[in-house]
Amino acid sequence: MKVTLLGAGAWGTAMAAQAARHLPSADVCLWSRSPAQIAEIKKTGQNQAYLPGATLPTGLELEAHFEKAIARLSSDDLLVIATPMAGLSDTISQILELAKHPLHIVWLCKGLEPDTALLPHQVVERQDRLHHHGLVHSYGALSGPSFAKEVAQGMPCALTVASKSKTLCEIVQAAFHHGNMRIYASDDLIGVELGGAIKNVLAIAAGIGDGLDLGLNARAAVLTRGLAEMMRLVKAAGGKSETCMGLTGVGDLILTATGDLSRNRQVGLALAAGKSLQEILDNLGHVAEGVLCAAAVGNLAKRLGVEMPITASMGEVLAGKLTPLEAVTKLMGRDPKIET
């Protein structure tokens, strides 16, 4: 089988390396919109802009032409969208315009579309309706607790692929389940995608708590009550609340809220230090999806009538309506509740 990954950021590059360790390297293609980036990777053997120090497998195919990256795939191969959430809509639209036969498509992005509060699969379904040419593609999400740097180094990792298509799940497992990576399958696309979105917002909250030196007790409370918020929203949105107890829920939440490689955690720490959000984003150098989707998660919760006080407070902090300390005071001043 062949695999094409669209997007040569840290995560796309790391997953290309993972696939190329098992499949013949020439069967794995990493596409970048930047010819200069492709030239640099070919010259150095590394993606120095996003994964410095990680040497990529020899023979990994590199491509700067979008059409060629798509055309190399047959209906038995795998197409991986490794763009940020903001690029998903345009990327899938371009794919659907070029597709000559059914494709197996999986995305790595986590979050909600900011203006619509749509989950990734809903964005894909919308674009599929607009560009429908009679082809039936299979779709899914690949998510879970994973730092690109560690995956690129071949360190142990476990992810979940979610799709209504058993065939797609099996193809994703064939591409990536080897060496130190395990891929589990799920049919709960809503639960997997919402878990991946909400945990980023909660990681900002955890970072704020740590940055304000509120202690480990506070961090445990944020993660536990944040997980309860996640489960409520997943259930209300039509997913399975028990999915939140797996890799794409509590697993990814623990990693993103406590790991120092987490961009969302770094945002929280910097906010607690009094830095402006714009200054933080300018210095970050990478996308922090929790910043982009916090308001959308809050809007979805309101639409579904789900109470999410921690998530809502993070939305207010990111919008400049509350300081981090004011958000903590507001949360601690809430009336007593029964734990559910």
Side-chain angles (χ1 to χ4, degrees):
M1 67 178 294
K2 292 184 178 180
V3 180
T4 288
L5 298 99
L6 303 176
W11 193 215
T13 303
M15 290 301 284
Q18 171 65 16
R21 292 188 190 106
H22 170 65
L23 300 171
S25 292
D27 287 348
V28 182
C29 174
L30 178 63
W31 171 84
S32 169
R33 68 175 63 252
S34 169
Q37 184 186 25
I38 292 295
E40 179 69 21
I41 295 174
K42 287 181 178 179
K43 178 181 178 182
T44 65
Q46 298 182 7
N47 186 343
Q48 295 182 337
Y50 292 97
L51 276 179
T55 300
L56 301 179
T58 303
L60 173 66
E61 186 175 340
L62 300 167
E63 183 60 73
H65 298 283
F66 193 86
E67 294 84 354
K68 291 182 180 179
I70 303 299
R72 65 188 295 275
L73 299 176
S74 74
S75 57
D76 296 323
D77 296 329
L78 179 63
L79 180 59
V80 182
I81 301 175
T83 66
M85 183 65 194
L88 178 61
S89 182
D90 287 344
T91 302
I92 194 67
S93 294
Q94 293 179 61
I95 292 168
L96 295 174
E97 285 293 331
L98 293 170
K100 299 294 192 296
H101 51 72
L103 294 170
H104 298 292
I105 303 171
V106 69
W107 46 87
L108 307 180
C109 53
K110 301 173 183 178
L112 276 68
E113 191 172 58
D115 295 337
T116 64
L118 291 178
L119 289 165
H121 79 273
Q122 294 170 327
V123 172
V124 171
E125 289 172 352
R126 179 191 66 201
Q127 299 310 112
D128 198 359
R129 289 192 297 270
L130 292 174
H131 298 84
H132 190 62
H133 299 305
L135 299 177
V136 179
H137 307 287
S138 65
Y139 297 116
L142 182 59
S143 187
S146 49
F147 286 142
K149 180 179 180 180
E150 294 186 359
V151 169
Q153 294 171 348
M155 299 175 72
C157 177
L159 304 174
T160 296
V161 55
S163 177
K164 300 300 181 183
S165 168
K166 182 180 178 182
T167 299
L168 175 64
C169 290
E170 291 172 347
I171 288 174
V172 171
Q173 288 174 320
F176 298 114
H177 185 110
H178 52 82
N180 279 331
M181 179 172 284
R182 294 185 58 81
I183 306 291
Y184 294 85
S186 170
D187 62 358
D188 185 15
L189 198 48
I190 292 173
V192 165
E193 288 186 328
L194 265 181
I198 299 167
K199 62 89 182 179
N200 283 329
V201 182
L202 297 175
I204 295 174
I208 285 175
D210 289 349
L212 292 175
D213 200 23
L214 300 183
L216 299 179
N217 295 340
R219 182 199 288 175
V222 167
L223 298 189
T224 305
R225 296 311 304 163
L227 180 61
E229 293 186 10
M230 181 190 296
M231 295 176 75
R232 288 198 296 267
L233 187 59
V234 165
K235 183 177 180 179
K240 303 173 184 177
S241 58
E242 58 265 32
T243 299
C244 300
M245 301 308 295
L247 290 167
T248 59
V250 66
D252 212 354
L253 174 60
I254 291 171
L255 179 76
T256 312
T258 65
D260 289 334
L261 292 175
S262 165
R263 296 189 292 271
N264 292 285
R265 171 176 163 76
Q266 292 299 325
V267 169
L269 290 169
L271 286 170
K275 295 182 180 179
S276 70
L277 182 58
Q278 190 58 56
E279 178 185 3
I280 296 167
L281 297 180
D282 289 343
N283 293 331
L284 201 57
H286 295 267
V287 175
E289 291 287 5
V291 174
L292 301 177
C293 79
V297 172
N299 291 336
L300 179 61
K302 290 178 182 178
R303 190 162 75 229
L304 296 176
V306 177
E307 187 179 35
M308 300 182 70
I310 299 174
T311 304
S313 294
M314 289 306 97
E316 291 182 293
V317 169
L318 293 169
K321 297 178 181 179
L322 290 177
T323 67
L325 187 57
E326 287 171 342
V328 172
T329 302
K330 181 179 179 179
L331 287 168
M332 296 306 296
R334 286 169 48 81
D335 292 337
K337 300 281 185 178
I338 296 174
E339 186 174 37
T340 57

